[in-house]
Amino acid sequence: MNETASIKVRIKGMSCAACVGAAERALKSLNGVTSVSVNLATERASIDYVPALLDFEGIKKAIVDSGYEVELITQSRTDREKIEREREFNKLKTHLIISALLTVPIAAGSMTELAFISDRYVLFSLSTAVQLWLGMRFYRAAFSALGHLSANMNTLIAVGTTSAYAYSCVATFIPSILEGSGIVPHVYFDTSAVIITLILLGRMLELRAKGRTSEAIKRLIGMQPKTASVIRSDIQTDIPVEDVEVGDIVVIRPGERIAVDGCVVEGASSVDESMLTGESLPVDKNVGDMLMGGTVNGLSVLKMRALKVGSDSAIERIIRLIEEAQGSKAPIQRFADKVASVFVPVVISIAVLTFFLWYLLGPRPSFTMAMMNFIAVLIIACPCALGLATPTAIMVGSGKGAQHGILIRNAEALEKTYKLRTVVMDKTGTITIGRPKVTDIVTTPRCNIQQQQALRFAASIEKNSEHPLGAAIVNMAKDNNIDLLETEGILSLPGGGVKGRLKDSGQLIVIGNTQLLVREGIDCSTVMTDIERLAQEAKTVVVMAVDGCAAAVFAIADTIKDTSAAAVERLKEIGIEVVMLTGDNQKTAEAIARQVSITRFFAEVLPHQKLDIIRQLKSNDNLVAMVGDGINDAPALAQADIGIAIGTGTDVAIESSDITLIKGNLLSVVDAIKLSRLTMRVIKQNLFWAFFYNVIGIPVAAGVLYIFGGPLLNPMLASLAMAFSSVSVVSNSLRLKTMRLR
């Protein structure tokens, strides 16, 4: 079986949905191409192909032969695309200014009787510059499409403006032809010039608005530092960030952006991670904690060991995910693409039919009215808004998600999420923190020991233990800034316990479960009531004895995240059923489910059984999301309609998911669903207005209102309406930036 490869290319020169269709058809016709997705808003195409049958040169030739320019998009990130977009904007702006300066006297001369400016030859000279120089971009694109037996927005503009211009030329130089047919030889140079000027204005506004839709990526790229301070051979030097290697010791001064991903090896500070997580509060970092590139160090110097550099860093992976999401195509767009593929030929047919009906049946001057309505139909029907309706909303929506710590893999995931009816959550690491934590310390009056003293004794004995329960006790002592004591004679006991003496006092400390302490000859009857109560709460109990006296009971459990209960409640409020899966026993599962108000849960579930439960929940067209963080969750994440990975989890889980939550905060699940619903609402609004605009605009341009005593649509007004239709669609998409998720 032939292996497939994927490339991304930038296609320059596309202007409407019909252009997208032409580019896709050209690529799909190639032997070896397995799938294609062309995005108008990003001007990018994602192509899957078989290298044994096709190479980039073949792909490039197909796109160029379709009338567009193409360049390969590589992983190296530069400002070249931004510079090119700015160059195109400035060129368009210059052409617009010149066109406007020429069009003003053309329009004034056409509407007044000023001796010089109203002269037809003067109007011809000015309008020729507008038509054949400033409007040449429309001709080039139209002729290119014609050479491939297709038509697009530029075809409509070229045919419409040329009709007015050519008619005016005939009326200027050989009016006898028109007079012989009983037609008064008026000129309409102003019509063609004003149309081109207004369309250039619309293109410029559209280009500026489209540029704003990708601001999320621009911000992330701007947050990548250019240099890093690295210690090599005991010498600290500043080097370009791309030269940092895995294993380098990187120094981060206060206020600096962290260059690459790594682990703190020296120092303690607070780090602003808001650019990745959306959380405004800084996060404390100590030795052993992970740092992510692009985040900002606080008030103290940190040294870290570089672990992930270049394209492997978190910020690069995030940028890559956003680009892929923004460049992908949502299923809802397929309908618009099908319409666009036949739209332009149908519009041209309607325009021709309009011309003949007005010419044969209309009032005098029938030819003039027929031509004006013919032009109006062509101009108002340009399918720009149709092509921009979906991709601009996807770009803004995925960018907004990234700003809130929600990474969406593709447009299909963003679309499907709004249909979710069930969210399945893994327990450990998803609903809970994922590591044992001391929840209760109960001391016995008989041994005359206080809670803080009990914690100091236990942590001192357990400080070198690798057992997770012992680590939980030590971590609590550290969190409470408790100084540990010197110990001696530490001995591990069968059954998971430990004993040893405190060096200064000589007190013998024994820590373990009840059975272990009984074997050591320690009476635990005085603490059995507390042990049973805590066990009923699904907590693991550890007993500590001091010199043979059962002095304290430590309750240890995987505690629930602060946001879990609130997230479950909010999911219920928006009509989502929440189901919990766990490999823990029934009692533990029941206790956790009760604390977060989950009524449906499955306990003692093995990884392969999670798949069966997901399949069962997906029956009857019920869309199901799976939220997890571990390697054992990866199959279930892939099986669900939408896989949502906690960003604090494993790389395997994240790679298997459709959505990644960087914060590890379950409230982000609610945010992701709301973001999907808002984005889909905007897409539907865009598509509605794009279709409604054409459904209403084309009959009005054809002169339907005139039949009922209404006005005809001037082609210049039609061009203004067309120009602002695409701008309105992009502007509506940009509203997503201001919409609240919470």
Side-chain angles (χ1 to χ4, degrees):
M1 184 175 179
N2 291 323
E3 294 185 358
T4 60
S6 298
I7 62 168
K8 291 179 175 60
V9 298
R10 185 182 178 201
I11 301 178
K12 303 178 188 177
M14 296 189 299
S15 57
C16 66
C19 297
V20 172
E24 285 190 343
R25 285 193 299 273
L27 290 168
K28 287 178 180 177
S29 67
L30 294 174
N31 182 31
V33 170
T34 57
S35 69
V36 176
S37 176
V38 179
N39 189 301
L40 175 62
T42 60
E43 297 181 327
R44 294 187 177 193
S46 299
I47 307 158
D48 295 334
Y49 67 103
V50 180
L53 302 175
L54 186 66
D55 59 12
F56 172 67
E57 289 304 317
I59 292 171
K60 180 178 179 180
K61 184 177 185 301
I63 297 173
V64 171
D65 287 347
S66 299
Y68 307 105
E69 298 177 47
V70 61
E71 66 176 12
L72 182 65
I73 297 173
T74 60
Q75 286 300 324
S76 59
R77 205 173 309 283
T78 67
D79 292 332
R80 184 176 59 190
E81 189 172 332
K82 177 184 176 183
I83 292 170
E84 287 184 3
R85 191 180 289 274
E86 288 177 351
R87 186 185 298 125
E88 172 63 17
F89 179 83
N90 291 331
K91 181 180 178 182
L92 203 52
K93 184 178 179 180
T94 301
H95 282 193
L96 172 63
I97 292 171
I98 297 171
S99 183
L101 291 175
L102 293 173
T103 299
V104 169
I106 293 172
S110 300
M111 293 184 290
T112 64
E113 297 297 329
L114 295 175
F116 173 75
I117 207 170
S118 298
D119 184 84
R120 292 188 176 187
Y121 297 103
V122 174
L123 295 176
F124 163 76
S125 300
L126 295 173
S127 64
T128 298
V130 176
Q131 188 76 33
L132 301 183
W133 172 36
L134 302 169
M136 184 52 67
R137 63 175 64 219
F138 306 122
Y139 282 110
R140 278 197 295 265
F143 281 125
S144 178
L146 182 62
H148 298 88
L149 301 179
S150 64
N152 55 32
M153 163 189 165
N154 299 291
T155 306
L156 302 180
I157 296 170
V159 172
T161 58
T162 301
S163 299
Y165 175 76
Y167 173 83
S168 300
C169 288
V170 172
T172 299
F173 294 102
I174 42 178
S176 57
I177 294 178
L178 300 176
E179 291 169 347
S181 302
I183 301 171
V184 179
H186 291 297
V187 293
Y188 297 95
F189 288 122
D190 58 327
T191 298
S192 62
V194 170
I195 287 173
I196 288 174
T197 301
L198 290 175
I199 291 174
L200 288 175
L201 172 63
R203 286 273 181 95
M204 189 188 76
L205 295 175
E206 177 187 314
L207 187 63
R208 185 171 67 180
K210 282 165 62 178
R212 291 173 58 200
T213 61
S214 57
E215 284 178 358
I217 288 181
K218 293 176 187 174
R219 268 199 299 271
L220 286 173
I221 293 174
M223 289 175 177
Q224 294 176 295
K226 298 293 188 290
T227 61
S229 185
V230 176
I231 298 176
R232 291 178 179 171
S233 302
D234 296 327
I235 299 174
Q236 182 175 330
T237 55
D238 289 344
I239 63 173
V241 69
E242 55 267 23
D243 293 340
V244 177
E245 299 176 357
V246 173
D248 278 342
I249 300 300
V250 182
V251 180
I252 309 108
R253 293 176 280 263
E256 286 186 339
R257 287 197 180 275
I258 296 166
V260 295
D261 296 2
C263 177
V264 178
V265 295
E266 184 180 317
S269 185
S270 60
V271 174
D272 179 1
E273 296 183 341
S274 59
M275 50 80 66
L276 289 178
T277 65
E279 296 289 355
S280 57
L281 293 177
V283 181
D284 291 335
K285 299 290 182 179
N286 297 288
V287 173
D289 290 336
M290 286 295 299
L291 300 175
M292 291 182 286
T295 56
V296 181
N297 185 23
L299 301 175
S300 302
V301 175
L302 289 174
K303 291 183 180 179
M304 76 169 185
R305 189 179 305 281
L307 298 179
K308 292 182 178 180
V309 301
S311 60
D312 293 330
S313 66
I315 192 168
E316 282 285 347
R317 291 171 65 188
I318 291 169
I319 291 172
R320 215 157 46 237
L321 276 172
I322 300 173
E323 286 180 336
E324 289 172 1
Q326 293 186 340
S328 60
K329 185 170 291 189
I332 195 172
Q333 194 173 341
R334 293 171 191 155
F335 174 65
D337 289 346
K338 288 179 181 178
V339 173
S341 65
V342 298
F343 188 80
V344 174
V346 169
V347 168
I348 292 175
S349 300
I350 293 172
V352 171
L353 179 63
T354 298
F355 177 86
F356 282 109
L357 287 175
W358 275 96
Y359 182 66
L360 297 173
L361 305 175
R364 295 179 65 86
S366 59
F367 181 84
T368 300
M369 297 184 74
M371 184 183 70
M372 290 294 102
N373 291 327
F374 168 78
I375 295 170
V377 170
L378 290 176
I379 297 303
I380 203 168
C382 289
C384 309
L386 198 58
L388 293 169
T390 301
T392 52
I394 293 294
M395 288 179 70
V396 178
S398 56
K400 186 178 181 69
Q403 292 169 11
H404 287 78
I406 304 167
L407 300 183
I408 301 163
R409 186 173 295 276
N410 52 47
E412 184 174 1
L414 184 59
E415 177 178 336
K416 287 170 66 176
T417 300
Y418 95 101
K419 300 178 182 177
L420 289 175
R421 291 294 174 267
T422 302
V423 171
V424 180
M425 296 181 180
D426 177 55
K427 179 186 77 70
T428 306
T430 301
I431 295 175
T432 64
I433 292 174
R435 61 180 183 273
K437 183 177 179 181
V438 176
T439 59
D440 303 85
I441 301 176
V442 181
T443 57
T444 56
R446 185 168 66 90
C447 298
N448 193 27
I449 190 170
Q450 302 300 314
Q451 281 190 355
Q452 187 166 342
Q453 187 180 14
L455 182 58
R456 174 179 283 111
F457 286 2
S460 299
I461 297 296
E462 293 278 13
K463 63 185 175 185
N464 295 317
S465 172
E466 296 182 357
H467 195 284
L469 299 182
I473 293 173
V474 174
N475 287 335
M476 187 177 188
K478 288 181 179 179
D479 291 342
N480 286 274
N481 298 316
I482 293 176
D483 295 327
L484 302 186
L485 304 170
E486 292 292 326
T487 59
E488 58 185 6
I490 300 297
L491 180 66
S492 295
L493 300 174
V498 63
K499 70 178 179 180
R501 290 188 182 275
L502 302 177
K503 197 168 186 179
D504 291 342
S505 65
Q507 292 170 294
L508 177 64
I509 310 295
V510 181
I511 303 173
N513 57 37
T514 310
Q515 292 82 2
L516 185 146
L517 264 69
V518 169
R519 285 203 307 270
E520 291 291 314
I522 297 168
D523 179 15
C524 294
S525 59
T526 55
V527 295
M528 285 307 298
T529 301
D530 294 315
I531 291 172
E532 291 171 0
R533 174 179 59 81
L534 294 169
Q536 286 294 320
E537 297 174 6
K539 297 175 181 176
T540 301
V541 178
V542 173
V543 182
M544 181 185 74
V546 179
D547 288 336
C549 176
V553 174
F554 295 86
I556 301 172
D558 182 7
T559 56
I560 293 170
K561 293 179 181 178
D562 294 339
T563 58
S564 293
V568 171
E569 183 62 30
R570 290 186 61 187
L571 284 169
K572 290 179 179 179
E573 289 174 359
I574 61 174
I576 305 291
E577 179 190 18
V578 183
V579 178
M580 185 183 78
L581 300 182
T582 179
D584 276 344
N585 59 59
Q586 184 75 17
K587 183 181 291 186
T588 300
E590 187 175 348
I592 296 295
R594 183 172 58 252
Q595 291 179 62
V596 294
S597 302
I598 292 177
T599 56
R600 190 178 185 188
F601 62 90
F602 297 85
E604 301 177 17
V605 178
L606 298 176
H608 71 274
Q609 294 174 318
K610 291 182 180 181
L611 291 176
D612 296 332
I613 293 171
I614 295 292
R615 291 192 189 102
Q616 175 188 334
L617 294 171
K618 283 173 65 176
S619 60
N620 301 321
D621 296 324
N622 181 41
L623 258 68
V624 175
M626 171 70 192
V627 187
D629 76 319
I631 292 176
N632 63 334
D633 296 323
L637 289 169
Q639 177 66 42
D641 295 296
I642 296 294
I644 303 176
I646 300 296
T648 52
T650 65
D651 288 343
V652 176
I654 292 171
E655 289 299 321
S656 302
S657 68
D658 300 295
I659 297 174
T660 300
L661 309 179
I662 297 178
K663 303 179 195 177
N665 181 341
L666 281 182
L667 284 172
S668 293
V669 176
V670 187
D671 293 342
I673 294 172
K674 286 196 171 182
L675 176 64
S676 174
R677 292 181 178 182
L678 288 172
T679 304
M680 288 308 301
R681 187 171 74 189
V682 168
I683 288 174
K684 289 177 179 178
Q685 289 170 351
N686 287 348
L687 288 173
F688 170 79
W689 287 113
F691 282 115
F692 179 80
Y693 166 82
N694 283 295
V695 167
I696 299 298
I698 291 174
V700 170
V704 168
L705 294 181
Y706 187 83
I707 299 172
F708 302 99
L712 291 174
L713 182 63
N714 188 297
M716 290 182 280
L717 292 178
S719 66
L720 185 64
M722 185 279 291
F724 282 96
S725 65
S726 57
V727 176
S728 65
V729 163
V730 178
S731 300
N732 190 49
S733 297
L734 288 170
R735 287 194 312 114
L736 275 168
K737 289 185 175 184
T738 61
M739 294 180 179
R740 296 174 60 88
L741 296 182
R742 296 186 188 175

